[in-house]
Amino acid sequence: MKIGILGTGGVGGYFGAKLATAGHSVKFLARGKHLQAMQEKGLLVKSGKGDMLIHPVSASDHLADFANSQLIIFACKSWQVEPMAKELKNHLNKDALLLPLQNGVLASEELNRHFPKSNVLGGLCMIFSKITAAGEITHMGLEPVIKFGEQDKTRSQRCVSIEKMLLDADIKATLSDDIEVNLWQKFIAICLSAYGATMNATYGELRELPETRTVLEETVKEVYAVGKAKGVNLPADTVDKTMSFVDSYPYDVRSSLARDVLESKPSEIEYQNGTVVRFGKELGIKTPYNQAVYAAVKMMEQKSQK
């Protein structure tokens, strides 16, 4: 299959390398020194599951070069999805499928504004990985996972085929019967990321101190309440399962949002706690913990730009 990977960071670099290793025709979108290093030395992925070197690697910084892709995996930051979609719609094969793997719950909706809804899947991934040098990705901790499905919650043959392709590439993949629920389950967990940034703390540090653990739990409860109010069919044990999931994270790991904020890079705060705050206002649900951490990160970003 001809696959376009839009973004060669921790997400796109890892999953794209897996698919390329399995023999698929994979083209990566990358820029600057990262792109130059990939073109000169290939793409190196370091992982406890086994290192991968894709060399030569097909990579470009022009979206027009992805026109013939059969499957486009959006592996960029959440705030990059809509600008890329606006440009890509002028080039892309009309039968191409689009699979967003962004944090948050808005990516498919944003793609729907620019492409027929029938071309857009819902999806997410769970992975701790990052760029550690130009042309190099390092995967840490938990086994990477992709969950995806049709937006209308049907079980289509095309999704069955994609699931098989991912599994054959040694990617732990699940075809979901309700991707909206899965997106919100992940969303609830990632809304703890910003608190780690404000405290400059790892997940292990946050969860072991009773006072900071309470903040984590209350943040989760607020997001759960907002999701239920929006009609998402979240299970009653979602809060407890989320905290158990957070307890399984490697002690020293930080989220990508926390790393971005602490490194003075643009973050996905608007797509995480910012979205919770906006939804809460629309629904008349108070979200003081999310509001506090959202405001704190906004201030940190503002100061870092001065």
Side-chain angles (χ1 to χ4, degrees), residues 257-273:
L257 182 144
R259 293 195 302 269
D260 286 342
V261 172
L262 294 170
E263 294 170 10
S264 299
K265 296 177 181 177
S267 82
E268 296 179 323
I269 189 64
E270 296 292 348
Y271 286 83
Q272 297 186 28
N273 305 82

Side-chain angles (χ1 to χ4, degrees), residues 111-167:
L111 292 176
N112 291 341
R113 296 173 192 157
H114 304 283
F115 298 94
K117 195 171 182 179
S118 58
N119 289 66
V120 182
L121 302 175
L124 63 90
C125 68
M126 290 174 280
I127 184 172
F128 288 116
S129 56
K130 62 181 180 179
I131 298 175
T132 43
E136 178 183 296
I137 307 294
T138 299
H139 157 239
M140 311 87 72
L142 302 176
E143 180 175 7
V145 174
I146 288 178
K147 293 185 180 181
F148 72 102
E150 297 284 0
Q151 292 186 77
D152 64 5
K153 304 175 186 179
T154 59
R155 192 172 183 84
S156 66
Q157 183 55 50
R158 66 186 188 179
C159 280
V160 171
S161 297
I162 291 172
E163 181 186 40
K164 183 179 186 303
M165 177 191 72
L166 294 171
L167 291 171

